[in-house]
Amino acid sequence: MREDGGVTRAHPAEDQCLPRLLAQLVTSKYVDSLPLYRQEAMFERYGVRLPRATQAAWMIALTVVLQPLLNLMDERLRSSGYVRIDETRVQVLNSDKAPSALHWMWVRVAGPKNQRIILFGYDPSRGGEVADALIEGCSGYLQSDGYQAYEGVSERAGLLHVGCFAHARSGFSRRLKPCPTRSANKRARHMKRCGASMRFT
């Protein structure tokens, strides 16, 4: 490891180690929610200097290397016949929008449990045109929460729009909270049976 954080390959075995290291960094950051500065500190404890700037540069470089795989996953998702979509707000510090403005991470899911495809896409907008682009070329079913834009998106794409049972159930849960204890317990038991009857894949 050089002083500037770069890697000096002195042995062919390092070519085999680097992909494993990159996989570890990516998994730790995006699956285990471990920021790069924490990973930097962890490596320091083992006597390895791996600055967060170097890690970030590797992450960016990986987007080019992995693009063909992402394209294939996107193609399979669009041809699956059943796509789930959702959007969630994220904070973006360096943006043309005001610091308090909302930005959005769009998530699409398709495929059976053992072959799941999950794709994330960022956009500063929550507009229906973003969803239009994300499901272009899809056929079959589009499942989402109650965000009204999805109804128009499904209609324009010729998809059958289906609701989300978990979101529907959460509405009942909210209404149970102010109920008397006995009534709430009875309704909660019914909801539990209702949930048990559903098969989530």
Side-chain angles (χ1 to χ4, degrees), residues 88 107-108:
T88 186
V107 186
R108 294 172 296 158

Side-chain angles (χ1 to χ4, degrees), residues 24-198:
Q24 172 66 32
L25 294 174
V26 171
T27 302
S28 296
K29 177 174 171 57
Y30 294 106
V31 178
D32 301 328
S33 302
L34 198 61
L36 297 182
Y37 77 89
R38 287 189 180 177
Q39 296 194 58
E40 178 182 0
M42 290 169 63
F43 280 107
E44 285 281 0
R45 289 200 297 269
Y46 292 108
V48 177
R49 185 173 181 275
L50 186 55
R52 71 194 78 172
T54 300
Q55 298 179 52
W58 287 351
M59 297 282 185
I60 294 170
L62 275 175
T63 61
V64 177
V65 176
L66 295 177
Q67 192 59 54
L69 176 60
L70 293 173
N71 293 341
L72 178 61
M73 293 171 68
D74 185 67
E75 290 174 11
R76 292 196 175 183
L77 180 142
R78 292 175 192 264
S79 63
S80 68
Y82 170 41
V83 176
R84 284 159 280 180
I85 188 170
D86 198 8
E87 78 295 331
T88 186
R89 61 178 62 89
V90 293
Q91 183 181 20
V92 177
L93 300 179
N94 187 8
S95 167
D96 294 334
K97 299 171 74 174
S100 59
L102 296 178
H103 299 251
W104 301 91
M105 186 67 72
W106 295 76
V107 186
R108 294 172 296 158
V109 181
K113 188 173 183 179
N114 59 343
Q115 297 178 358
R116 186 82 78 225
I117 297 173
I118 305 174
L119 294 177
F120 293 81
Y122 162 78
D123 201 282
S125 170
R126 196 191 184 198
E129 67 277 2
V130 180
D132 282 332
L134 290 174
I135 64 156
E136 182 180 1
C138 293
S139 60
Y141 300 90
L142 181 69
Q143 185 176 35
S144 74
D145 60 13
Y147 179 37
Q148 194 169 1
Y150 290 126
E151 194 63 48
V153 167
S154 300
E155 186 175 343
R156 289 190 293 274
L159 301 173
L160 181 61
H161 184 217
V162 295
C164 172
F165 182 77
H167 282 88
R169 188 175 53 185
S170 67
F172 289 101
S173 296
R174 286 193 300 270
R175 285 160 181 79
L176 283 174
K177 290 180 180 178
C179 295
T181 304
R182 179 179 295 180
S183 177
N185 288 341
K186 184 176 180 181
R187 294 180 189 182
R189 286 197 300 271
H190 287 303
M191 287 189 63
K192 186 175 181 180
R193 281 197 292 269
C194 186
S197 69
M198 300 299 294

